[in-house]
Amino acid sequence: QVQLVQSGAEVKKSGASVKVSCKASGYIFTDYYIHWVRQAPGQGLEWMGWVNPHTGGTNYAQKFRGRVTMTRDTSISTAYMGVSSLRSDDTAMYYCAKQRAYGDLLPGYWGQGTLVTVSS
Amino acid sequence: DIQMTQSPSTLSASVGDRVTITCRASQSIGIWLAWYQQKPGKAPNLLIYKASTLESGVPSRFSGSGSGTEFTLTISSLQPDDFATYYCQQYNTFFTFGPGTKVDIK
């Protein structure tokens, strides 16, 4: 069965960087895009971008361009999402999600989330 | 950018009630709309895609309709497991979520 297992919670200082991992299993990793979505405490969902595991190509929401980097390592079926120059408003739960189906880019199956806390 | 709105923001209902949530897009998105359910402390769960197609495994009491700029999610008979927050998401141009509708117990 499809599984997306994310790395553990992180606590970072303002100005630092963080890198969250998302290990996939139960399907062919390179066949489906991985999305990243975040949710600030008590707030709604915010799409950040996607990475194409086959090519490494990415597409970022305008808000995150220049500060977010999405990569992947096909040898270990793992996607990564990094955020630099962290601010307090980056405190959020970060989710990875697999493309729903071949030909349908919609986020379908989600990881359990990684809480990133940014303190000053 | 396409903006999404939802109404109401909170809905109080009882088990067995018929519940309807509305989602509006700032411009036409065709049928490229999805609905997710999220429970506290959990990741979102996809319910409906392409405005009205039920994801595999989702109970048939959930249904979606609409096209263009106005969409609805209907729960025909609310069950105890359905108390949660519901988000719409457009995927016509990039991906944008609505602000959410919390369904709580009346």
Side-chain angles (χ1 to χ4, degrees):
Chain A
Q1 73 283 17
V2 171
Q3 277 200 308
L4 296 174
V5 178
Q6 298 185 223
S7 49
E10 302 266 11
V11 179
K12 297 290 183 181
K13 294 282 192 185
S14 292
S17 298
V18 69
K19 191 172 185 178
V20 177
S21 68
C22 171
K23 182 168 177 60
S25 61
Y27 71 97
I28 299 173
F29 178 65
T30 50
D31 279 357
Y32 298 91
Y33 287 35
I34 293 287
H35 296 265
W36 289 91
V37 175
R38 76 177 188 181
Q39 186 171 37
Q43 302 302 308
L45 300 164
E46 186 174 30
W47 179 77
M48 300 177 69
W50 52 248
V51 57
N52 177 344
H54 179 61
T55 65
T58 55
N59 195 354
Y60 303 128
Q62 178 72 38
K63 174 179 179 177
F64 298 104
R65 290 175 192 168
R67 210 164 61 91
V68 167
T69 304
M70 297 177 188
T71 58
R72 91 290 188 223
D73 184 339
T74 57
S75 69
I76 54 172
S77 299
T78 299
Y80 300 93
M81 190 281 303
V83 184
S84 62
S85 303
L86 285 165
R87 309 183 292 246
S88 57
D89 63 357
D90 290 318
T91 293
M93 185 71 80
Y94 289 77
Y95 294 101
C96 63
K98 169 190 165 290
Q99 174 186 356
R100 189 193 74 81
Y102 193 78
D104 183 353
L105 203 51
L106 182 69
Y109 186 84
W110 297 56
Q112 86 276 18
T114 296
L115 181 61
V116 175
T117 303
V118 182
S119 64
S120 53
Chain B
D1 289 7
I2 298 175
Q3 308 301 318
M4 306 300 292
T5 59
Q6 288 182 234
S7 60
S9 55
T10 305
L11 188 161
S12 297
S14 302
V15 172
D17 283 353
R18 181 181 181 87
V19 166
T20 298
I21 299 168
T22 298
C23 175
R24 291 185 174 88
S26 60
Q27 63 190 74
S28 178
I29 57 171
I31 60 167
W32 302 108
L33 184 102
W35 290 96
Y36 295 86
Q37 177 193 67
Q38 187 180 32
K39 296 180 180 178
K42 299 293 187 181
N45 180 44
L46 178 64
L47 299 175
I48 288 169
Y49 61 97
K50 285 186 185 177
S52 61
T53 304
L54 210 61
E55 176 70 330
S56 177
V58 173
S60 59
R61 62 181 180 273
F62 291 93
S63 64
S65 66
S67 66
T69 61
E70 187 155 335
F71 302 85
T72 59
L73 171 70
T74 299
I75 309 172
S76 60
S77 177
L78 197 66
Q79 298 302 301
D81 192 47
D82 301 338
F83 292 99
T85 299
Y86 294 85
Y87 294 93
C88 62
Q89 182 199 36
Q90 70 82 19
Y91 56 113
N92 180 69
T93 306
F94 292 103
F95 302 83
T96 314
F97 291 93
T101 295
K102 183 177 181 181
V103 177
D104 63 19
I105 300 173
K106 191 172 185 178

